[in-house]
Every structure is written in C-alpha cells, then in structure tokens.
Amino acid sequence: MAFDACQRGKDACALKLVWFNDASAMEEQQDKQEKSSRRGIQSVEIAYRLLRVLQNSAQAVPLKDIALGADLTPSAANNYLVSLVRTGLATPDDRAGYYKLGPSALALGMSAIRQIDGFDLLRREVTRLRDETSRSTAVTMWTDDGVLSLFKQDGDLRGAFEMRTGLIPLTSTAAGKVFVACLPLSVTQPFSAEELNEQAHAKTDPAAFHEEAVRELERKKYATLHRADMSGYASIAAPIFDFTGQLRFAISLVGSRTTLQTERGSPHVTALLESAARATVALGGTT
C-alpha cells in the first residue's frame, strides 16, 4: 500500500510537471504571437505613406509624384491607390492619373479634431517641457480681455518674480509678443497702447511694437523678452497653430537673464520650438 501511495504521488508530480511545461509552452507561444503582432502590417504603413503625399499637397497629385514621394514604383503605387479609392480615403481627380484625398479621409480628420482634448494635450506638453529644461513653463491663449495664462509648471530655479495663471501683460512677456505678432494690430492695439502708456521707460508705440514682434517671429520662429527692471525677468515663447492655420496658443519658458538661454540654437530654444511643433501637429496644424 505504501508503494502504491508513493507511486500515486510520483504520478501526480509527473502530471503537474507536464501541465507546467504545457503552460510554459503556451505562454511562450502567446509571447511570440504578441511580438509578431507588434511588428504591424506593412501594407497599412505603405498605404499611409501614399496618404501622406496626398495630405502634403494643396491640389491633386499625379501618380508618378505619389509613387516618388512614397518610395514606390508607379505600378505598386497604383495598386495601393485602387484600394484607397475603394475605401474613399483617396479619390481620382478630373485629370486622368491624378489623385487627392477622399471623403473618408475628411471624415477621419473631422472625427480626430472632435476627439482632441486640447487642454490635456497642452498640459502634458507644458510638463514635458519643464522636465526637459528645468525652467518654468506656461501655456497661454488670447481672449477678449487679453492674454490668459491657462496652465503653468514652476521650474527648479525661481527668480524674483512669480508665475501665475490668469491675465498676463501683453508687451512685457514673450507670450504677449507672440500674440502681437500673429494677431491683427487692430485687435492688440488697445491693450498694448494702455500698457505702453503706463511704462515710463517705453520708447515705442503700439504700431512699432507690432512691427518689431512680427519681424522677430518671422526671423527666429519664437519671441524673446528681457525686462529692463531689476527683476532680471527673461522669457521666450513660440506659437502653436491649429488645423486652420490660426494661432491657438503660445508656449513659454520663463527665467532670468542668467538662467534662461534665449539664443537661437541653444538647448532651451530648441526644446521650446520642438514642443510647439509637437503641439501644433497634435492639433492638426502644420509646422
């Protein structure tokens, strides 16, 4: 009897071992399948390359240019376009051999716009920029009452000034200069005129300030401001555009003359411009 009990114990152990090996084999197989699935479907990615060529053009594109832009032969590009036309993602133009985005692409774009949570997107971008630079960061927008700071993250180094949410100056912040440069003078002039009149050291008028901001943004793609007071305040800001090409927000880095790099090509400026570009693309705009 003792022998039978021992044998039964060995059999049970053997069964458990078989089950364990089978389970391990199944897990390994599932892991391989998951890794294989993560490689994606190449044909989908190739089709997207064609759609990107169409997306980047303001008019219908000939087949040979689509193929060149997607790094395909014309015959291969034509095969993909047949399926894209069937699904409505592309549509033939009136000119033979020319194609443009179709109604399904438009529907997808409109749905993507509705699903964008702009504030959440910008909040993440502000936090990321602060983490990359260790400098105070903020995002602002234009309102009927002027420039409104929506969200901020304080940096590791704090100056004599305090960042805040709410309305901020138009003519003494880099974010304000971005809106002055991008909005019509008639929109910003009432605010800039009032602020400049209150500044004893101001040596410019709203029109001249507008022209200076426009030239700087065109030249550098970002705005810079150094205050002349004892605070040492310095800031840089870049515009964020939406899918209509209109200015929606400005993202800023704030520090002092000694802690904030404001020169073109510097790490702080590079991080700022990359952040603005990411946010613009996420809102459907083009950089």
Side-chain angles (χ1 to χ4, degrees), residues 174-196:
K177 287 184 73 175
V178 168
F179 290 100
V180 168
C182 294
L183 297 176
L185 177 60
S186 59
V187 173
T188 61
Q189 185 170 8
F191 301 93
S192 58
E194 181 179 354
E195 290 182 15
L196 291 171

Side-chain angles (χ1 to χ4, degrees), residues 208-224:
F209 186 79
H210 172 81
E211 290 299 323
E212 176 192 347
V214 169
R215 287 195 300 269
E216 181 181 22
L217 198 62
E218 288 179 345
R219 185 177 74 255
K220 300 194 301 187
K221 309 307 178 187
Y222 67 99
T224 307

